[in-house]
Amino acid sequence: MADVLPLVEARLRSALGEPDARAAVTFLGTDRIEVLRFTEGDIVRYASLGMSAQPMSDPTAMLADPVTGPRAELVISVRGGLADTDKVLRPLAVLAASPQVEGVIVAPGASLDVGEPLWPGAPFTSVLVAEPGGLIEDLELDEPLDPVCFLPLLPMTPNEAAWKRVHGAQALQERWLTNGTDLRDPSRKSVPLE
């Protein structure tokens, strides 16, 4: 079985260019998670590398399937120079390790919370997992492996996260769209939720 991570890194490079920084985090009992930083103009993107090494498995399953199951990496995009967003490294690695640590399947529409600001002074402690396929195409793997999806993460304020729990991910995304919310602004305020 081919090692998935070199293929994933190649896909990230083909979509986003060469990374200008990378760091690794290892949590006890998990595989190493790297975070790569890509800069294009005033947009900085942080992508996990390592989450897709193992398929995510159903937390209710007696045994995790080592071959089949969804695979993903996480990507967050922000405007550079407006906040110390490089500190998102650890929270992003924590989220990428959550399938191994907590046995969760990260999928579009889910909320993920790190319990602390995503970077110093950030008004966000959680993210909404968006649909893949826009910025980075899914990476097809040889059968029977599932493809690797690159899931965008959209930072949410605590009010937005609470509103999303009641009204759903689609309603929150429509609210952002209707209000012209700049989801890449690292210090944006909560969208009006009245």
Side-chain angles (χ1 to χ4, degrees), residues 44-189:
V44 181
R45 292 188 172 90
Y46 302 90
S48 67
L49 178 63
M51 180 176 170
S52 63
Q54 304 293 325
M56 294 181 272
S57 56
D58 182 345
T60 62
M62 292 296 282
L63 288 173
D65 188 326
V67 178
T68 60
R71 293 175 188 259
E73 295 291 351
L74 307 176
V75 181
I76 190 166
S77 301
V78 294
R79 294 203 181 282
L82 303 175
D84 188 8
T85 56
D86 280 352
K87 297 283 197 273
V88 78
L89 158 78
R90 187 164 178 77
L92 184 58
V94 166
L95 296 176
S98 63
Q100 287 183 55
V101 174
E102 298 172 26
V104 297
I105 294 180
V106 177
S111 300
L112 303 174
D113 196 317
V114 293
E116 62 185 33
L118 294 176
W119 49 82
F124 320 106
T125 61
S126 62
V127 294
L128 174 65
V129 181
E131 291 291 334
L135 183 63
I136 308 167
E137 288 183 31
D138 293 355
L139 173 63
E140 296 294 330
L141 301 173
D142 293 337
E143 292 287 338
L145 303 181
D146 288 24
V148 177
C149 297
F150 297 88
L151 300 170
L153 300 181
L154 308 175
M156 293 188 294
T157 66
N159 285 347
E160 290 170 340
W163 197 84
K164 182 249 173 200
R165 279 192 293 277
V166 174
H167 300 280
Q170 185 65 40
L172 178 58
Q173 288 178 304
E174 287 171 10
R175 181 64 55 122
W176 282 335
L177 194 59
T178 301
N179 285 276
T181 305
D182 180 2
L183 296 175
R184 295 176 178 166
D185 180 349
S187 54
R188 72 173 178 82
K189 304 286 183 243

